[in-house]
Amino acid sequence: MADGTKAVVDTSAADGAADEAALAAAIDELADGTARATAAGSPAEKDGRDGRDDSGEPAGAAPAATTPAPAAPAPAAPTTPAPGEPAPESTAPLSVSEIAAELASGDAAAGRTDPGPAAAAPAKRPPRDPQPTHDPRDTATLPQTLPAPQRRSGDMIGHRYRLEECISSTETFSSWRAVDEKLRRAVGVHLMASGHQRARKVLAAAKSAALLGDPRFVQVLDAVQEGELVYVVREWLPHASDLAKLLSDGPLEPHEAYQMVRQVTDAVAAAHRRGQAHLRLTPRCVLRTDSGQYRINGIAVDAALRGLTGEGSGEDAERVDTRAIGALLFAALTHRWPYPEDRYDLQGLPRNLREVAPDQVRAGVHKGLSELAARALLDHPPHHAEPITTPDGLARAIALMPRIRQPQPELPAFTSPPRHNTHALPTAPNPTRVVAAPGTAPAPVAAPVAAPVRRSGRRLRTVVKVTASAVALGAIGVASWQLVDSLRPGSTAVASPQPSSTSATPSAHAATHDPAPIPVKEALSYNPLGEKADGAASLAKAIDDDPGSEWQTNWYSDAFGSKPGTKEGTGLLLDLGSAQTVSKVTLKWSTATTAELRMPGKSVGNAQTAKPGDFTVLGKKAGTAVEYNLDSPVTTRYLLIWLTNLSKNPDSGPNPGKYQAFLGDVKVFG
């Protein structure tokens, strides 16, 4: 940084005359007591005014100077230059004795009387320190937008970090996967122009995050401003998967969702207790390692990169992070983003569906976790529950919940060990047991060697003994089972003869097919011919195994297709979770309804956005209790119930005279 000593002493020969003229003018001004402006107009005179008190006298003139040696100059007060003007170098004010000593040390000052050439103002030189000389907290003079530094794969940052792959890029910063050439490890690097308004806040946020030292957060390793570049280096977890990737296959199991929200909440609550906030907690920031531990990336830094300062009260920052945790839990339970927009490869909620808990969006959601997500996310949770506004409060609520244990892994089906096949064992030739075929001469038998015959004979006797024992035990077990079964009350083992094993007629039980129920993972509104989702608020009621709760369509003034301009129908899309073999579907309506059972064609990519003509019709039924029996089972993941005719509501009920359908129960069988 420029200081007073360099501004006065470390000057070139061309600037010496101007400095001497300025010093002489300062002595005359002090002696006369007048504020006479010099014709030189040197930077030393202008900067000397910064050190005066309210009376106009230099601050250093109050104490009497007794030594001719110049005193150590005081640091220059920071000044804020005008926008677009280079920051001037400032000098410390000098006393009369110090100025006289400076004049006495100059050889050319004694006989110089013409200040003409020396009075010219010297050209201002830019400061040597790239840092601005104004208050670093004042960033109003920096540009609000500045393009992100252009870098390519293979570039070196700080003579240490080699960029490999650009992960993301915005107008103001870029994020890279890089290699630390010194420690030979992968790291993450954020790049930003040092002249950007956010650069200083990014550096401050990175340094505060590095001091956090909590292993539950991805560690910040370095934060440097180098010339026109600011870069932040963070830890890289190559084998971790973010929450958005985990949700690509569907919602999390209750135990996994519980572990996620508990670990994330504990970490964020600990950070808030130390004065840190995340302010941008998204599914991309929550990473799950191979060991099942969750770690949080971008504490404070992600928000600073995007200009989210969080300069409100601490309660505001706590509410932002608590709401973000509630959104993460909502997405983990429902596989839907809790806002109308689609984010992080998740479909958003319908715009008319607000302030709902996860169990109202998807059936089968854990009740305790659903209530927890609603209290953290919503300002007015359902059932008049009290909202949770701080991470500490959310951590206490999680601690009060019954612990959700990990489900036991399914054991493989038991298979009995294979029995020894005595016929496969090598046996010694026995001439006495060979029987010749009728009409053929017996083949001559060679005399065996004595030693091998004895060994084979012992082995054969052992095998015969073991086989006889096994057969005897098996016979005893079968006899005992038949005896017990015959003595059992109501047994028909004695009265009914067993069919012969050689009978070619199959039994009636083998010929009867008993369909197995297939659970429906999710019910979706399918209304491509309308403007909004049909019956979005009650979708889960169609598959909740409760005939008393019903999925209700929107009401219509006219029947489908009755007038020009009316749509042909509306539908309910059933998601089975994966491709399943379907043989039967049953529906229970409250009023008579005509509906078709359809499945998407092979060319359909997204069933929810496909047109009705892209589906194959499997059957059409009308009534209140209908059953679709498929002659040939089909394999599909999605089934569409396409409603083509609705009943008219009675005049005494709700929505009188309107056309509407009420579906109480859906069952799918394989």
PDB file of all heavy atoms in Angstrom, residues 572-602:
ATOM      1  N   LEU A 572     -57.754 -40.102 -15.103  1.00  0.00           N
ATOM      2  CA  LEU A 572     -56.936 -40.362 -13.922  1.00  0.00           C
ATOM      3  C   LEU A 572     -55.834 -41.329 -14.352  1.00  0.00           C
ATOM      4  O   LEU A 572     -56.113 -42.427 -14.846  1.00  0.00           O
ATOM      5  CB  LEU A 572     -57.775 -40.965 -12.798  1.00  0.00           C
ATOM      6  CG  LEU A 572     -57.030 -41.289 -11.499  1.00  0.00           C
ATOM      7  CD1 LEU A 572     -56.625 -40.010 -10.799  1.00  0.00           C
ATOM      8  CD2 LEU A 572     -57.904 -42.133 -10.574  1.00  0.00           C
ATOM      9  N   LEU A 573     -54.566 -40.925 -14.168  1.00  0.00           N
ATOM     10  CA  LEU A 573     -53.421 -41.726 -14.592  1.00  0.00           C
ATOM     11  C   LEU A 573     -52.861 -42.453 -13.378  1.00  0.00           C
ATOM     12  O   LEU A 573     -52.548 -41.829 -12.360  1.00  0.00           O
ATOM     13  CB  LEU A 573     -52.352 -40.834 -15.221  1.00  0.00           C
ATOM     14  CG  LEU A 573     -51.189 -41.537 -15.915  1.00  0.00           C
ATOM     15  CD1 LEU A 573     -51.687 -42.312 -17.130  1.00  0.00           C
ATOM     16  CD2 LEU A 573     -50.131 -40.528 -16.341  1.00  0.00           C
ATOM     17  N   LEU A 574     -52.732 -43.777 -13.466  1.00  0.00           N
ATOM     18  CA  LEU A 574     -52.229 -44.604 -12.374  1.00  0.00           C
ATOM     19  C   LEU A 574     -50.784 -44.976 -12.661  1.00  0.00           C
ATOM     20  O   LEU A 574     -50.470 -45.524 -13.726  1.00  0.00           O
ATOM     21  CB  LEU A 574     -53.072 -45.879 -12.228  1.00  0.00           C
ATOM     22  CG  LEU A 574     -54.578 -45.677 -12.040  1.00  0.00           C
ATOM     23  CD1 LEU A 574     -55.269 -47.022 -11.945  1.00  0.00           C
ATOM     24  CD2 LEU A 574     -54.863 -44.832 -10.811  1.00  0.00           C
ATOM     25  N   ASP A 575     -49.891 -44.677 -11.713  1.00  0.00           N
ATOM     26  CA  ASP A 575     -48.471 -45.007 -11.827  1.00  0.00           C
ATOM     27  C   ASP A 575     -48.189 -46.210 -10.931  1.00  0.00           C
ATOM     28  O   ASP A 575     -48.322 -46.141  -9.712  1.00  0.00           O
ATOM     29  CB  ASP A 575     -47.613 -43.806 -11.408  1.00  0.00           C
ATOM     30  CG  ASP A 575     -46.133 -44.072 -11.564  1.00  0.00           C
ATOM     31  OD1 ASP A 575     -45.758 -45.138 -12.087  1.00  0.00           O
ATOM     32  OD2 ASP A 575     -45.333 -43.196 -11.166  1.00  0.00           O
ATOM     33  N   LEU A 576     -47.802 -47.339 -11.536  1.00  0.00           N
ATOM     34  CA  LEU A 576     -47.509 -48.558 -10.781  1.00  0.00           C
ATOM     35  C   LEU A 576     -46.080 -48.612 -10.282  1.00  0.00           C
ATOM     36  O   LEU A 576     -45.693 -49.590  -9.645  1.00  0.00           O
ATOM     37  CB  LEU A 576     -47.789 -49.787 -11.656  1.00  0.00           C
ATOM     38  CG  LEU A 576     -49.200 -49.862 -12.274  1.00  0.00           C
ATOM     39  CD1 LEU A 576     -49.343 -51.137 -13.082  1.00  0.00           C
ATOM     40  CD2 LEU A 576     -50.268 -49.774 -11.204  1.00  0.00           C
ATOM     41  N   GLY A 577     -45.270 -47.590 -10.564  1.00  0.00           N
ATOM     42  CA  GLY A 577     -43.890 -47.533 -10.088  1.00  0.00           C
ATOM     43  C   GLY A 577     -42.907 -48.179 -11.036  1.00  0.00           C
ATOM     44  O   GLY A 577     -41.800 -47.690 -11.204  1.00  0.00           O
ATOM     45  N   SER A 578     -43.258 -49.265 -11.658  1.00  0.00           N
ATOM     46  CA  SER A 578     -42.418 -49.969 -12.620  1.00  0.00           C
ATOM     47  C   SER A 578     -43.332 -50.801 -13.515  1.00  0.00           C
ATOM     48  O   SER A 578     -44.535 -50.937 -13.254  1.00  0.00           O
ATOM     49  CB  SER A 578     -41.383 -50.854 -11.919  1.00  0.00           C
ATOM     50  OG  SER A 578     -42.012 -51.832 -11.118  1.00  0.00           O
ATOM     51  N   ALA A 579     -42.776 -51.356 -14.561  1.00  0.00           N
ATOM     52  CA  ALA A 579     -43.571 -52.160 -15.480  1.00  0.00           C
ATOM     53  C   ALA A 579     -44.102 -53.404 -14.778  1.00  0.00           C
ATOM     54  O   ALA A 579     -43.343 -54.169 -14.173  1.00  0.00           O
ATOM     55  CB  ALA A 579     -42.735 -52.545 -16.695  1.00  0.00           C
ATOM     56  N   GLN A 580     -45.414 -53.602 -14.817  1.00  0.00           N
ATOM     57  CA  GLN A 580     -46.080 -54.718 -14.159  1.00  0.00           C
ATOM     58  C   GLN A 580     -46.991 -55.434 -15.166  1.00  0.00           C
ATOM     59  O   GLN A 580     -47.477 -54.841 -16.128  1.00  0.00           O
ATOM     60  CB  GLN A 580     -46.920 -54.236 -12.970  1.00  0.00           C
ATOM     61  CG  GLN A 580     -46.152 -53.445 -11.926  1.00  0.00           C
ATOM     62  CD  GLN A 580     -45.279 -54.334 -11.059  1.00  0.00           C
ATOM     63  OE1 GLN A 580     -45.476 -55.544 -10.997  1.00  0.00           O
ATOM     64  NE2 GLN A 580     -44.297 -53.742 -10.403  1.00  0.00           N
ATOM     65  N   THR A 581     -47.226 -56.719 -14.912  1.00  0.00           N
ATOM     66  CA  THR A 581     -48.154 -57.500 -15.731  1.00  0.00           C
ATOM     67  C   THR A 581     -49.551 -57.368 -15.140  1.00  0.00           C
ATOM     68  O   THR A 581     -49.801 -57.800 -14.013  1.00  0.00           O
ATOM     69  CB  THR A 581     -47.721 -58.966 -15.791  1.00  0.00           C
ATOM     70  OG1 THR A 581     -46.397 -59.048 -16.339  1.00  0.00           O
ATOM     71  CG2 THR A 581     -48.671 -59.770 -16.651  1.00  0.00           C
ATOM     72  N   VAL A 582     -50.476 -56.776 -15.883  1.00  0.00           N
ATOM     73  CA  VAL A 582     -51.822 -56.453 -15.400  1.00  0.00           C
ATOM     74  C   VAL A 582     -52.818 -57.341 -16.128  1.00  0.00           C
ATOM     75  O   VAL A 582     -52.778 -57.479 -17.362  1.00  0.00           O
ATOM     76  CB  VAL A 582     -52.142 -54.969 -15.655  1.00  0.00           C
ATOM     77  CG1 VAL A 582     -53.541 -54.633 -15.161  1.00  0.00           C
ATOM     78  CG2 VAL A 582     -51.109 -54.086 -14.964  1.00  0.00           C
ATOM     79  N   SER A 583     -53.718 -57.956 -15.332  1.00  0.00           N
ATOM     80  CA  SER A 583     -54.755 -58.811 -15.908  1.00  0.00           C
ATOM     81  C   SER A 583     -56.162 -58.334 -15.571  1.00  0.00           C
ATOM     82  O   SER A 583     -57.114 -58.713 -16.245  1.00  0.00           O
ATOM     83  CB  SER A 583     -54.586 -60.255 -15.414  1.00  0.00           C
ATOM     84  OG  SER A 583     -54.718 -60.317 -13.993  1.00  0.00           O
ATOM     85  N   LYS A 584     -56.323 -57.494 -14.522  1.00  0.00           N
ATOM     86  CA  LYS A 584     -57.667 -57.065 -14.125  1.00  0.00           C
ATOM     87  C   LYS A 584     -57.580 -55.740 -13.386  1.00  0.00           C
ATOM     88  O   LYS A 584     -56.626 -55.496 -12.631  1.00  0.00           O
ATOM     89  CB  LYS A 584     -58.332 -58.113 -13.236  1.00  0.00           C
ATOM     90  CG  LYS A 584     -59.786 -57.783 -12.883  1.00  0.00           C
ATOM     91  CD  LYS A 584     -60.454 -58.912 -12.108  1.00  0.00           C
ATOM     92  CE  LYS A 584     -59.901 -59.056 -10.702  1.00  0.00           C
ATOM     93  NZ  LYS A 584     -60.685 -60.008  -9.889  1.00  0.00           N
ATOM     94  N   VAL A 585     -58.589 -54.867 -13.591  1.00  0.00           N
ATOM     95  CA  VAL A 585     -58.704 -53.587 -12.900  1.00  0.00           C
ATOM     96  C   VAL A 585     -60.162 -53.425 -12.491  1.00  0.00           C
ATOM     97  O   VAL A 585     -61.074 -53.645 -13.305  1.00  0.00           O
ATOM     98  CB  VAL A 585     -58.263 -52.408 -13.795  1.00  0.00           C
ATOM     99  CG1 VAL A 585     -58.459 -51.089 -13.068  1.00  0.00           C
ATOM    100  CG2 VAL A 585     -56.810 -52.565 -14.215  1.00  0.00           C
ATOM    101  N   THR A 586     -60.385 -53.046 -11.216  1.00  0.00           N
ATOM    102  CA  THR A 586     -61.745 -52.821 -10.716  1.00  0.00           C
ATOM    103  C   THR A 586     -61.884 -51.377 -10.259  1.00  0.00           C
ATOM    104  O   THR A 586     -60.952 -50.799  -9.697  1.00  0.00           O
ATOM    105  CB  THR A 586     -62.064 -53.762  -9.543  1.00  0.00           C
ATOM    106  OG1 THR A 586     -61.153 -53.506  -8.467  1.00  0.00           O
ATOM    107  CG2 THR A 586     -61.933 -55.212  -9.970  1.00  0.00           C
ATOM    108  N   LEU A 587     -63.079 -50.796 -10.497  1.00  0.00           N
ATOM    109  CA  LEU A 587     -63.385 -49.411 -10.127  1.00  0.00           C
ATOM    110  C   LEU A 587     -64.715 -49.385  -9.389  1.00  0.00           C
ATOM    111  O   LEU A 587     -65.637 -50.143  -9.717  1.00  0.00           O
ATOM    112  CB  LEU A 587     -63.473 -48.516 -11.370  1.00  0.00           C
ATOM    113  CG  LEU A 587     -62.281 -48.506 -12.328  1.00  0.00           C
ATOM    114  CD1 LEU A 587     -62.595 -47.628 -13.524  1.00  0.00           C
ATOM    115  CD2 LEU A 587     -61.025 -48.021 -11.629  1.00  0.00           C
ATOM    116  N   LYS A 588     -64.801 -48.499  -8.388  1.00  0.00           N
ATOM    117  CA  LYS A 588     -66.046 -48.291  -7.654  1.00  0.00           C
ATOM    118  C   LYS A 588     -66.396 -46.808  -7.714  1.00  0.00           C
ATOM    119  O   LYS A 588     -65.691 -45.973  -7.128  1.00  0.00           O
ATOM    120  CB  LYS A 588     -65.899 -48.753  -6.198  1.00  0.00           C
ATOM    121  CG  LYS A 588     -65.765 -50.258  -6.047  1.00  0.00           C
ATOM    122  CD  LYS A 588     -65.708 -50.667  -4.591  1.00  0.00           C
ATOM    123  CE  LYS A 588     -65.584 -52.190  -4.450  1.00  0.00           C
ATOM    124  NZ  LYS A 588     -65.519 -52.610  -3.024  1.00  0.00           N
ATOM    125  N   TRP A 589     -67.494 -46.482  -8.446  1.00  0.00           N
ATOM    126  CA  TRP A 589     -67.959 -45.105  -8.590  1.00  0.00           C
ATOM    127  C   TRP A 589     -69.169 -44.887  -7.677  1.00  0.00           C
ATOM    128  O   TRP A 589     -69.953 -45.808  -7.421  1.00  0.00           O
ATOM    129  CB  TRP A 589     -68.372 -44.828 -10.038  1.00  0.00           C
ATOM    130  CG  TRP A 589     -67.314 -45.106 -11.067  1.00  0.00           C
ATOM    131  CD1 TRP A 589     -67.133 -46.248 -11.769  1.00  0.00           C
ATOM    132  CD2 TRP A 589     -66.299 -44.208 -11.499  1.00  0.00           C
ATOM    133  NE1 TRP A 589     -66.064 -46.124 -12.618  1.00  0.00           N
ATOM    134  CE2 TRP A 589     -65.528 -44.875 -12.481  1.00  0.00           C
ATOM    135  CE3 TRP A 589     -65.957 -42.896 -11.175  1.00  0.00           C
ATOM    136  CZ2 TRP A 589     -64.452 -44.293 -13.128  1.00  0.00           C
ATOM    137  CZ3 TRP A 589     -64.879 -42.297 -11.815  1.00  0.00           C
ATOM    138  CH2 TRP A 589     -64.143 -42.981 -12.773  1.00  0.00           C
ATOM    139  N   SER A 590     -69.334 -43.659  -7.236  1.00  0.00           N
ATOM    140  CA  SER A 590     -70.529 -43.322  -6.452  1.00  0.00           C
ATOM    141  C   SER A 590     -71.732 -43.114  -7.348  1.00  0.00           C
ATOM    142  O   SER A 590     -72.878 -43.365  -6.946  1.00  0.00           O
ATOM    143  CB  SER A 590     -70.279 -42.059  -5.618  1.00  0.00           C
ATOM    144  OG  SER A 590     -69.289 -42.309  -4.647  1.00  0.00           O
ATOM    145  N   THR A 591     -71.530 -42.634  -8.548  1.00  0.00           N
ATOM    146  CA  THR A 591     -72.604 -42.449  -9.524  1.00  0.00           C
ATOM    147  C   THR A 591     -72.202 -43.133 -10.818  1.00  0.00           C
ATOM    148  O   THR A 591     -71.012 -43.389 -11.064  1.00  0.00           O
ATOM    149  CB  THR A 591     -72.864 -40.956  -9.776  1.00  0.00           C
ATOM    150  OG1 THR A 591     -71.647 -40.338 -10.208  1.00  0.00           O
ATOM    151  CG2 THR A 591     -73.350 -40.261  -8.510  1.00  0.00           C
ATOM    152  N   ALA A 592     -73.173 -43.428 -11.644  1.00  0.00           N
ATOM    153  CA  ALA A 592     -72.894 -44.136 -12.895  1.00  0.00           C
ATOM    154  C   ALA A 592     -71.967 -43.306 -13.770  1.00  0.00           C
ATOM    155  O   ALA A 592     -72.237 -42.129 -14.052  1.00  0.00           O
ATOM    156  CB  ALA A 592     -74.206 -44.432 -13.632  1.00  0.00           C
ATOM    157  N   THR A 593     -70.880 -43.933 -14.201  1.00  0.00           N
ATOM    158  CA  THR A 593     -69.852 -43.250 -14.988  1.00  0.00           C
ATOM    159  C   THR A 593     -69.383 -44.182 -16.093  1.00  0.00           C
ATOM    160  O   THR A 593     -69.238 -45.387 -15.881  1.00  0.00           O
ATOM    161  CB  THR A 593     -68.660 -42.846 -14.098  1.00  0.00           C
ATOM    162  OG1 THR A 593     -69.141 -42.064 -12.998  1.00  0.00           O
ATOM    163  CG2 THR A 593     -67.649 -42.041 -14.880  1.00  0.00           C
ATOM    164  N   THR A 594     -69.148 -43.626 -17.251  1.00  0.00           N
ATOM    165  CA  THR A 594     -68.607 -44.382 -18.370  1.00  0.00           C
ATOM    166  C   THR A 594     -67.126 -44.043 -18.513  1.00  0.00           C
ATOM    167  O   THR A 594     -66.762 -42.858 -18.594  1.00  0.00           O
ATOM    168  CB  THR A 594     -69.340 -44.049 -19.674  1.00  0.00           C
ATOM    169  OG1 THR A 594     -70.736 -44.304 -19.501  1.00  0.00           O
ATOM    170  CG2 THR A 594     -68.806 -44.884 -20.820  1.00  0.00           C
ATOM    171  N   ALA A 595     -66.277 -45.072 -18.508  1.00  0.00           N
ATOM    172  CA  ALA A 595     -64.834 -44.850 -18.559  1.00  0.00           C
ATOM    173  C   ALA A 595     -64.179 -45.955 -19.367  1.00  0.00           C
ATOM    174  O   ALA A 595     -64.668 -47.090 -19.409  1.00  0.00           O
ATOM    175  CB  ALA A 595     -64.234 -44.800 -17.156  1.00  0.00           C
ATOM    176  N   GLU A 596     -63.073 -45.606 -19.993  1.00  0.00           N
ATOM    177  CA  GLU A 596     -62.260 -46.554 -20.748  1.00  0.00           C
ATOM    178  C   GLU A 596     -60.954 -46.807 -20.001  1.00  0.00           C
ATOM    179  O   GLU A 596     -60.389 -45.885 -19.400  1.00  0.00           O
ATOM    180  CB  GLU A 596     -61.949 -46.008 -22.141  1.00  0.00           C
ATOM    181  CG  GLU A 596     -63.164 -45.798 -23.018  1.00  0.00           C
ATOM    182  CD  GLU A 596     -62.784 -45.173 -24.346  1.00  0.00           C
ATOM    183  OE1 GLU A 596     -61.599 -44.799 -24.504  1.00  0.00           O
ATOM    184  OE2 GLU A 596     -63.661 -45.056 -25.217  1.00  0.00           O
ATOM    185  N   LEU A 597     -60.481 -48.047 -20.055  1.00  0.00           N
ATOM    186  CA  LEU A 597     -59.181 -48.402 -19.507  1.00  0.00           C
ATOM    187  C   LEU A 597     -58.179 -48.409 -20.663  1.00  0.00           C
ATOM    188  O   LEU A 597     -58.361 -49.142 -21.648  1.00  0.00           O
ATOM    189  CB  LEU A 597     -59.222 -49.773 -18.827  1.00  0.00           C
ATOM    190  CG  LEU A 597     -57.895 -50.251 -18.228  1.00  0.00           C
ATOM    191  CD1 LEU A 597     -57.461 -49.341 -17.091  1.00  0.00           C
ATOM    192  CD2 LEU A 597     -58.009 -51.686 -17.741  1.00  0.00           C
ATOM    193  N   ARG A 598     -57.136 -47.581 -20.540  1.00  0.00           N
ATOM    194  CA  ARG A 598     -56.162 -47.449 -21.609  1.00  0.00           C
ATOM    195  C   ARG A 598     -54.747 -47.630 -21.055  1.00  0.00           C
ATOM    196  O   ARG A 598     -54.506 -47.466 -19.858  1.00  0.00           O
ATOM    197  CB  ARG A 598     -56.267 -46.080 -22.290  1.00  0.00           C
ATOM    198  CG  ARG A 598     -57.622 -45.794 -22.929  1.00  0.00           C
ATOM    199  CD  ARG A 598     -57.590 -44.489 -23.707  1.00  0.00           C
ATOM    200  NE  ARG A 598     -58.856 -44.198 -24.361  1.00  0.00           N
ATOM    201  CZ  ARG A 598     -59.017 -43.201 -25.243  1.00  0.00           C
ATOM    202  NH1 ARG A 598     -57.994 -42.421 -25.554  1.00  0.00           N
ATOM    203  NH2 ARG A 598     -60.201 -42.999 -25.803  1.00  0.00           N
ATOM    204  N   MET A 599     -53.829 -47.936 -21.969  1.00  0.00           N
ATOM    205  CA  MET A 599     -52.406 -48.011 -21.629  1.00  0.00           C
ATOM    206  C   MET A 599     -51.624 -47.248 -22.690  1.00  0.00           C
ATOM    207  O   MET A 599     -52.037 -47.193 -23.857  1.00  0.00           O
ATOM    208  CB  MET A 599     -51.931 -49.470 -21.567  1.00  0.00           C
ATOM    209  CG  MET A 599     -52.018 -50.225 -22.877  1.00  0.00           C
ATOM    210  SD  MET A 599     -51.299 -51.876 -22.818  1.00  0.00           S
ATOM    211  CE  MET A 599     -49.561 -51.478 -22.738  1.00  0.00           C
ATOM    212  N   PRO A 600     -50.492 -46.612 -22.310  1.00  0.00           N
ATOM    213  CA  PRO A 600     -49.722 -45.837 -23.296  1.00  0.00           C
ATOM    214  C   PRO A 600     -49.096 -46.743 -24.342  1.00  0.00           C
ATOM    215  O   PRO A 600     -48.709 -47.883 -24.069  1.00  0.00           O
ATOM    216  CB  PRO A 600     -48.661 -45.132 -22.447  1.00  0.00           C
ATOM    217  CG  PRO A 600     -48.562 -45.947 -21.207  1.00  0.00           C
ATOM    218  CD  PRO A 600     -49.900 -46.546 -20.969  1.00  0.00           C
ATOM    219  N   GLY A 601     -48.988 -46.209 -25.565  1.00  0.00           N
ATOM    220  CA  GLY A 601     -48.337 -46.942 -26.634  1.00  0.00           C
ATOM    221  C   GLY A 601     -46.829 -46.997 -26.448  1.00  0.00           C
ATOM    222  O   GLY A 601     -46.250 -46.350 -25.565  1.00  0.00           O
ATOM    223  N   LYS A 602     -46.178 -47.772 -27.294  1.00  0.00           N
ATOM    224  CA  LYS A 602     -44.731 -47.957 -27.168  1.00  0.00           C
ATOM    225  C   LYS A 602     -43.960 -46.677 -27.457  1.00  0.00           C
ATOM    226  O   LYS A 602     -42.856 -46.493 -26.960  1.00  0.00           O
ATOM    227  CB  LYS A 602     -44.272 -49.069 -28.105  1.00  0.00           C
ATOM    228  CG  LYS A 602     -44.852 -50.440 -27.760  1.00  0.00           C
ATOM    229  CD  LYS A 602     -44.322 -51.506 -28.709  1.00  0.00           C
ATOM    230  CE  LYS A 602     -44.886 -52.879 -28.338  1.00  0.00           C
ATOM    231  NZ  LYS A 602     -44.384 -53.937 -29.259  1.00  0.00           N
TER     232      LYS A 602
END
